[in-house]
Amino acid sequence: MGKIENLALPEIGSHALGTGKLPVEQYVSQEFFELEKEHIFRKSWLLVGRESDVKVPGDYQNFMVDTLGVSVVIARGKDQKLRAFYNACTHRGARLVNASTGNVRALVCNFHGWSFNLEGDLINVPDAALFADLDQKQEHLKPIHLDVWGGFIFINLAEKPEWTLREYLKPLDDKFDRYLGNKDWSWSFGWRAKFKANWKLIVDAQIEGYHVDMTHRKTIAGAIPGSNTAAYYFPESIGVPCGVAAYRPEDVSRGMQTPMNLLSAKYGATSIYTKPERQFAAEGGEGVLKEDHPLWIFDNYLVFPNIVLFVQKGQILIQRTLPISADECIWEVDFYHTERPTSFGHVFNMEQGVIQIRDVLSEDLYTAEGIHANFKCGAISHVSLNKQEVPLRAYYNRLLSAIEQDQAKEKP
Ligand code: FES
Ligand SMILES: [Fe+2]
């Protein structure tokens, strides 16, 4: 813990990226959505899962990129290597796997029985002599670029990705990779929901602290006042345009603390707003976590285009938003911890934390559908952003530049 003189908080934001209002077309325009599909979702590194969920040879995961209608199989081969393929049999295009996870010796198509090994090679064709000139070597499953960072699996659907994953994720560096890649992290809980709102409205709700005092007035506003959230923006970064840091108030008794909160807080720290008497362990946080600041709670980073990664001691969570159309999206959140509850008090603390964070996320997301409807019907054409909302401006700038730069590359 730091000393008392370290209590000064960083600036909460900046006007460095400009002060003008932003248009809202990018949230409702079908044409803009088509550009996002082709120039962003088909070209960016997309976080699709956790390496530990595909642990042993034969384990596979089936991930749906709903935005593009692409079903991806991620499988660990006998050589321990992870590979990603389109979930498409090269005979006549049937899906090879339908379950979301499993363990198999080979990927066998249910239509006519073609079999592929975990490296994607076609290894068996029933009645192969029926084909006139089948060259089995040419019938390899179509591969997708895959890499791992921080224990998270990323894929890239481009024929040739423009950047390596590490280049893409700067300024998140190797220390981050090691901290998040710690093998002790395991999935604890999560949720999935559909919203009738543009996908970026869900992201926006997580990357500014200005809303906290009002939106979360019944839950965390006392424990994390809006004035204690600082905005990050990284104009040079390709894949991490912005983020937010959150700090406690000096007076930790502030805020709405129910008897249940206070009791729970005696047994552990599962949430971002209970004052922990006891910290979860998590090795390798040096240079990643701002633990030398006594008031620091968490940092989050927008991993472009659709992930908000929250990092703290002993707890990480990711929020992923996948558009289905300009007007509809799927949102998922997953929590990972380095410790399992070992006592009744600890289980109670964890359960109470789950309920609290569910309430906080509901508060965050309930405005999205109304905002979307207001943008769509023309009631609102532009929005104002203050300096604490600078991450939204950084995100908008990155959206436009990602599309423009990719369009420019495609020009002859
Ligand atoms: S489509 Fe897969 S074996 Fe025919
Ligand atoms: Fe919030």
mmCIF file of all heavy atoms in Angstrom, residues 24 114 229 274 287 300 317 353 364:
data_model
loop_
_atom_site.group_PDB
_atom_site.id
_atom_site.type_symbol
_atom_site.label_atom_id
_atom_site.label_comp_id
_atom_site.label_asym_id
_atom_site.label_seq_id
_atom_site.Cartn_x
_atom_site.Cartn_y
_atom_site.Cartn_z
ATOM 1 N N VAL A 24 -24.466 10.824 -34.849
ATOM 2 C CA VAL A 24 -24.877 9.489 -34.371
ATOM 3 C C VAL A 24 -25.132 8.492 -35.510
ATOM 4 O O VAL A 24 -25.524 7.362 -35.248
ATOM 5 C CB VAL A 24 -26.130 9.563 -33.460
ATOM 6 C CG1 VAL A 24 -25.882 10.492 -32.284
ATOM 7 C CG2 VAL A 24 -27.367 9.987 -34.239
ATOM 8 N N TRP A 114 -17.138 -37.472 -44.024
ATOM 9 C CA TRP A 114 -15.722 -37.091 -44.208
ATOM 10 C C TRP A 114 -15.127 -36.780 -42.825
ATOM 11 O O TRP A 114 -15.801 -36.170 -41.978
ATOM 12 C CB TRP A 114 -15.585 -35.844 -45.097
ATOM 13 C CG TRP A 114 -15.757 -36.095 -46.565
ATOM 14 C CD1 TRP A 114 -16.473 -37.099 -47.152
ATOM 15 C CD2 TRP A 114 -15.193 -35.314 -47.629
ATOM 16 N NE1 TRP A 114 -16.399 -36.994 -48.517
ATOM 17 C CE2 TRP A 114 -15.622 -35.901 -48.839
ATOM 18 C CE3 TRP A 114 -14.391 -34.185 -47.687
ATOM 19 C CZ2 TRP A 114 -15.268 -35.390 -50.087
ATOM 20 C CZ3 TRP A 114 -14.034 -33.659 -48.919
ATOM 21 C CH2 TRP A 114 -14.463 -34.272 -50.118
ATOM 22 N N THR A 229 -12.837 8.528 -11.300
ATOM 23 C CA THR A 229 -12.547 7.690 -12.465
ATOM 24 C C THR A 229 -11.769 8.535 -13.462
ATOM 25 O O THR A 229 -12.157 9.651 -13.788
ATOM 26 C CB THR A 229 -13.840 7.186 -13.142
ATOM 27 O OG1 THR A 229 -14.602 8.313 -13.563
ATOM 28 C CG2 THR A 229 -14.652 6.316 -12.200
ATOM 29 N N THR A 274 -16.650 -3.585 -2.950
ATOM 30 C CA THR A 274 -16.572 -3.894 -1.533
ATOM 31 C C THR A 274 -15.155 -3.627 -1.065
ATOM 32 O O THR A 274 -14.199 -3.892 -1.766
ATOM 33 C CB THR A 274 -16.917 -5.369 -1.240
ATOM 34 O OG1 THR A 274 -16.120 -6.180 -2.068
ATOM 35 C CG2 THR A 274 -18.387 -5.642 -1.435
ATOM 36 N N GLY A 287 3.874 -3.824 -12.469
ATOM 37 C CA GLY A 287 3.933 -3.113 -13.747
ATOM 38 C C GLY A 287 2.622 -3.138 -14.500
ATOM 39 O O GLY A 287 2.490 -2.540 -15.562
ATOM 40 N N ASN A 300 -9.769 -0.435 -16.820
ATOM 41 C CA ASN A 300 -10.301 -1.198 -17.952
ATOM 42 C C ASN A 300 -9.717 -0.661 -19.242
ATOM 43 O O ASN A 300 -9.228 0.478 -19.309
ATOM 44 C CB ASN A 300 -11.835 -1.296 -17.938
ATOM 45 C CG ASN A 300 -12.565 -0.067 -18.443
ATOM 46 O OD1 ASN A 300 -12.040 0.721 -19.234
ATOM 47 N ND2 ASN A 300 -13.793 0.092 -17.975
ATOM 48 N N LEU A 317 -12.260 -9.480 -15.795
ATOM 49 C CA LEU A 317 -13.509 -9.772 -16.486
ATOM 50 C C LEU A 317 -13.450 -9.160 -17.866
ATOM 51 O O LEU A 317 -12.786 -8.154 -18.086
ATOM 52 C CB LEU A 317 -14.726 -9.285 -15.710
ATOM 53 C CG LEU A 317 -14.961 -7.805 -15.540
ATOM 54 C CD1 LEU A 317 -16.119 -7.344 -16.390
ATOM 55 C CD2 LEU A 317 -15.280 -7.518 -14.085
ATOM 56 N N GLY A 353 -21.164 -10.772 -4.180
ATOM 57 C CA GLY A 353 -20.502 -10.004 -5.237
ATOM 58 C C GLY A 353 -21.173 -10.210 -6.586
ATOM 59 O O GLY A 353 -21.349 -9.266 -7.365
ATOM 60 N N ASP A 364 -25.995 -0.276 -15.985
ATOM 61 C CA ASP A 364 -25.190 0.214 -17.110
ATOM 62 C C ASP A 364 -25.911 0.048 -18.445
ATOM 63 O O ASP A 364 -25.801 0.889 -19.324
ATOM 64 C CB ASP A 364 -23.866 -0.562 -17.198
ATOM 65 C CG ASP A 364 -22.813 -0.028 -16.255
ATOM 66 O OD1 ASP A 364 -22.769 1.198 -16.061
ATOM 67 O OD2 ASP A 364 -22.053 -0.843 -15.721
#
